[in-house]
Amino acid sequence: MKYLPVLVVEDDADLREALVDTLVLSGYAVLEAADGQSALQVLRDNAVGLVVSDAQMQPMDGYTLFRQVKAAYPALPFVLMTAYGVIERAIDLLRAGASHYLLKPFEPQQLIAEVEKYLLPEPEGDEELQAYSAPMKRLLAIARQVAPSDASVLISGPSGAGKEVLARFIHRHSRRSAAPFVAVNCAAIPDNLLESTLFGHEKGAFTGAANVLPGKFEQAQGGTILLDEITEMPLPLQAKLLRVLQEREVERVGGTRTIKLDIRVLATSNREVQEEVAAGRFREDLFFRLNVFPLAVPALGERTEDILPLARKLLDKHANAVSKPRLALGKDAERELTAYSWEGNIRELDNVMQRAAILAAGPEVSAVDLMLSPSAMVLPVTTDSTVDESDLGMKAVEKRHILDALQACGGVRKLAAERLGISERTLRYKLQRYREEDAGPA
């Protein structure tokens, strides 16, 4: 098994060198920092599996560094090196979530033992969820570590960033992977049906309840239930959900019999849940029940290294769907993809790749095929009443595609025709037709 690097934070250069040498000789990858601020920068730029930090440093000591690491990377293991005289503060850190502490002076074997115990493994490849950026490598390493447990996980992140994909990743790597994974979108089900959907109902429980219906919790028996967009659940139902989670039993609407549950609960939200709690829209006790293990999925714009691998994977999917051979991304398309802001995250990238697979005229997708610029999304208006409305959109897209390709090639028709995958004669014909249409009736 491969492991992520250990980050050693120590302001004493000689001691730092000794610690690094000890770990490297034991086969571990190591990153180093001379102070707390440098350590935070290393964490921003790299996926790290464990922080080993000195307690007494200037200007930021190890205690302050721990608090900042805990806030930004809540599941990242942290071991503090401290002197005997300040052991009380180290114990306080353990209560706050630190992994362990090492009392100076210590033997090399003690350091290796702590590293073996707490170091996170490097995430392995996964068909649906791949990680190339430091934030995603770190996230997947932690997700893989929590997956075998039955701890409730609250996954936060913006819409379209892949929260449900991460939830499925956790389920696949859990001991429940052979059992059902049941996802419930709390925002998509009307309030008056959500209780029945979650908990089920008995025949005759309400008007229209013609048959017994097991709820989603029962359907997930032995497996995992995902409560997607949990903050959209109305407050009265939150109270009932809390009882189900506490007692691990459910009672169908209109029923009197309790059904014992053996399930793992995951939840997602695109809102700041603690802000929802403060605003009175989400129960604090339910938040603590779900937030046993918090995971935050970063926006796509915050993990640039993931954009092109994801784009290629999605492009392959959509090329197969439209029966096209394997498509490649051109250099101009790659530049535009990595420079784009991706406010809609992976969901937006998926749409763009579907569009590109449809528009690509040759084996390579160009920047024009992406239609990312606002002008590329504006379809020209025609007054030709003979054009069938069902064909108008595709003809306008084709015209924009051809004119953009011509512009990208500096007006050279031969290059534009090659990029479009058509003959020069066809290109001349289409351009002549566009000129006649733009000129209008004489």
Side-chain angles (χ1 to χ4, degrees):
M1 181 182 294
K2 294 183 66 178
Y3 289 88
L4 293 171
V6 181
L7 172 57
V8 174
V9 190
E10 172 60 67
D11 58 354
D12 183 320
D14 292 337
L15 179 54
R16 186 172 69 250
E17 183 180 4
L19 293 168
V20 170
D21 288 347
T22 297
L23 292 170
V24 170
L25 289 172
S26 297
Y28 293 104
V30 183
L31 299 169
E32 55 183 290
D35 55 61
Q37 287 295 348
S38 300
L40 292 174
Q41 186 59 53
V42 171
L43 288 171
R44 283 190 285 268
D45 296 339
N46 300 274
V48 170
L50 171 66
V51 177
V52 178
S53 174
D54 187 23
Q56 305 300 321
M57 296 186 297
Q58 295 294 333
M60 179 190 292
D61 63 20
Y63 307 105
T64 305
L65 175 62
F66 167 74
R67 286 193 292 272
Q68 295 204 24
V69 169
K70 187 67 177 175
Y73 316 102
L76 179 61
F78 192 105
V79 172
L80 190 74
M81 298 178 292
T82 184
Y84 182 79
V86 288
I87 191 172
E88 293 81 6
R89 292 194 67 184
I91 292 172
D92 288 341
L93 254 65
L94 289 180
R95 295 192 182 106
S99 300
H100 201 51
Y101 63 88
L102 282 165
L103 283 177
K104 294 181 177 179
F106 51 82
E107 295 297 323
Q109 292 81 0
Q110 290 177 269
L111 173 63
I112 298 303
E114 295 301 311
V115 171
E116 287 178 350
K117 189 183 299 182
Y118 298 111
L119 183 61
L120 295 176
E122 187 172 303
E124 300 171 8
D126 188 88
E127 288 185 4
E128 292 185 31
L129 196 58
Q130 300 175 10
Y132 298 86
S133 64
M136 283 303 294
K137 283 184 177 180
R138 183 165 46 242
L139 179 66
L140 286 199
I142 295 168
R144 189 181 292 276
Q145 191 178 36
V146 72
S149 75
D150 269 346
S152 297
V153 179
L154 180 57
I155 305 171
S156 60
S159 294
K163 297 187 294 297
E164 183 172 340
V165 176
L166 180 61
R168 291 181 181 275
F169 174 91
I170 292 171
H171 173 71
R172 280 199 309 278
H173 292 86
S174 74
R175 63 182 181 84
R176 298 176 179 272
S177 58
F181 176 91
V182 177
V184 186
N185 188 333
C186 299
I189 302 172
D191 291 357
N192 61 331
L193 294 179
L194 189 54
E195 181 178 4
S196 171
T197 301
L198 288 174
F199 308 140
H201 63 250
E202 297 289 350
K203 181 178 180 180
F206 50 83
T207 303
N211 298 293
V212 173
L213 177 70
K216 297 295 184 182
F217 275 89
E218 286 181 70
Q219 294 172 33
Q221 194 72 274
T224 303
I225 187 167
L226 171 65
L227 303 173
D228 198 18
E229 302 305 348
I230 186 69
T231 46
E232 302 300 320
M233 181 178 289
L235 276 168
L237 192 53
Q238 289 178 29
K240 296 181 180 180
L241 173 62
L242 177 64
R243 185 183 178 282
V244 169
L245 298 183
Q246 287 173 335
E247 305 299 329
R248 281 297 193 267
E249 61 183 29
V250 68
E251 189 176 292
R252 293 174 185 161
V253 176
T256 57
R257 181 173 62 94
T258 58
I259 300 164
K260 290 292 183 182
L261 297 174
D262 173 25
I263 55 171
R264 204 260 183 89
V265 180
L266 308 177
T268 74
S269 177
N270 60 8
R271 301 175 186 266
E272 287 291 340
V273 185
Q274 287 178 299
E275 292 181 6
E276 295 297 297
V277 171
R281 292 187 291 266
F282 198 78
R283 291 180 63 105
E284 186 176 37
D285 46 6
L286 179 56
F287 167 66
F288 287 126
R289 175 66 61 174
L290 294 170
N291 198 46
V292 175
F293 208 100
L295 292 177
V297 181
L300 183 58
E302 297 173 6
R303 40 185 169 121
T304 310
E305 298 94 331
D306 292 332
I307 293 173
L308 293 182
L310 282 168
R312 294 187 186 103
K313 178 182 163 188
L314 294 169
L315 184 61
D316 285 346
K317 178 185 75 173
H318 291 301
N320 288 333
V322 294
S323 301
K324 285 190 176 182
R326 188 180 182 91
L327 295 172
L329 292 172
K331 294 299 181 185
D332 58 338
E334 290 183 350
R335 285 192 295 271
E336 193 153 337
L337 286 169
T338 52
Y340 190 67
S341 60
W342 299 111
E343 297 297 325
N345 294 291
I346 298 173
R347 190 175 294 129
E348 183 182 10
L349 178 62
D350 189 31
N351 292 341
V352 169
M353 289 300 99
Q354 183 177 19
R355 190 159 65 226
I358 293 170
L359 293 177
E364 190 173 89
V365 169
S366 69
V368 175
D369 300 322
L370 303 176
M371 294 180 68
L372 283 176
S373 63
S375 61
M377 301 298 291
V378 179
L379 302 180
V381 178
T382 179
T383 56
D384 185 358
S385 59
T386 64
V387 178
D388 186 82
E389 287 187 5
S390 63
D391 295 331
L392 183 59
M394 286 307 297
K395 288 184 177 180
V397 168
E398 180 193 64
K399 179 179 178 180
R400 170 60 63 189
H401 185 50
I402 288 174
L403 294 179
D404 283 351
L406 189 63
Q407 182 181 10
C409 294
V412 180
R413 292 181 181 178
K414 185 176 188 305
L415 293 178
E418 289 176 357
R419 169 174 283 195
L420 292 164
I422 60 178
S423 67
E424 284 188 75
R425 179 180 178 183
T426 300
L427 178 59
R428 284 198 302 273
Y429 165 76
K430 288 183 177 293
L431 292 174
Q432 178 61 34
R433 194 183 70 195
Y434 298 153
R435 281 194 291 271
E436 292 170 356
E437 289 174 353
D438 292 340

